[in-house]
Amino acid sequence: MKKHFPLLLGISVLTGLVGTIFWHKNKQQSSVFIGSWFYQTPLEKVHFTINDNWQLTRNLKPIQTTLVELTPEHLILLDELGYKLTFVLKDGRLHFYDETEIDGSCHILSPTSPKKEIKAFQ
């Protein structure tokens, strides 16, 4: 066992380094979701803010959420009632799906700041 300890330690350290590199790369690519967004319905204008800890506010009210999935194309959060809030990057635009909406409609989000660009990752 003492012979194999340095080998196992080296493999463990290498695995940790590779995992950290991929995690940071994925986090950087997913930063497209971070920012302030809005969509307009006939009844209201809805504002979202997503910070770098994946915390969400809706119309300036914090929403308690749990991160379910984070990829360069998807951000899925679970709200405190267990409903999914899904943000999808598709065709260079950010789409929002709320599981609580009966008609299953999708809202296309626009950045609140015109300087924010959405870049799709290859």
Side-chain angles (χ1 to χ4, degrees):
M1 181 67 185
K2 288 184 180 183
K3 283 186 189 178
H4 300 295
F5 181 73
L7 178 63
L8 291 174
L9 182 63
I11 291 172
S12 176
V13 169
L14 183 62
T15 302
L17 287 173
V18 169
T20 301
I21 290 168
F22 282 117
W23 182 77
H24 281 292
K25 182 179 178 186
N26 192 28
K27 186 176 179 182
Q28 289 172 351
Q29 289 180 345
S30 300
S31 67
V32 69
F33 300 107
I34 296 171
S36 295
W37 308 93
F38 77 94
Y39 68 87
Q40 181 77 44
T41 69
L43 301 176
E44 66 178 334
K45 189 172 187 177
V46 180
H47 292 270
F48 286 107
T49 302
I50 303 170
N51 69 16
D52 57 354
N53 291 324
W54 311 115
Q55 295 170 333
L56 181 70
T57 61
R58 181 180 176 144
N59 295 336
L60 302 176
K61 290 193 246 178
I63 298 177
Q64 197 71 2
T65 59
T66 303
L67 180 63
V68 174
E69 182 180 337
L70 177 62
T71 68
E73 295 86 22
H74 291 90
L75 169 63
I76 301 176
L77 302 169
L78 203 62
D79 72 8
E80 60 234 358
L81 298 175
Y83 292 105
K84 287 183 187 176
L85 305 171
T86 304
F87 297 86
V88 178
L89 181 62
K90 184 171 35 174
D91 300 326
R93 299 174 87 177
L94 193 59
H95 297 72
F96 171 69
Y97 300 90
D98 186 348
E99 192 175 29
T100 62
E101 293 188 12
I102 295 171
D103 61 358
S105 62
C106 165
H107 302 284
I108 297 174
L109 299 177
S110 300
T112 56
S113 169
K115 295 178 184 177
K116 174 95 175 164
E117 285 184 31
I118 301 173
K119 295 181 181 176
F121 295 98
Q122 299 294 334

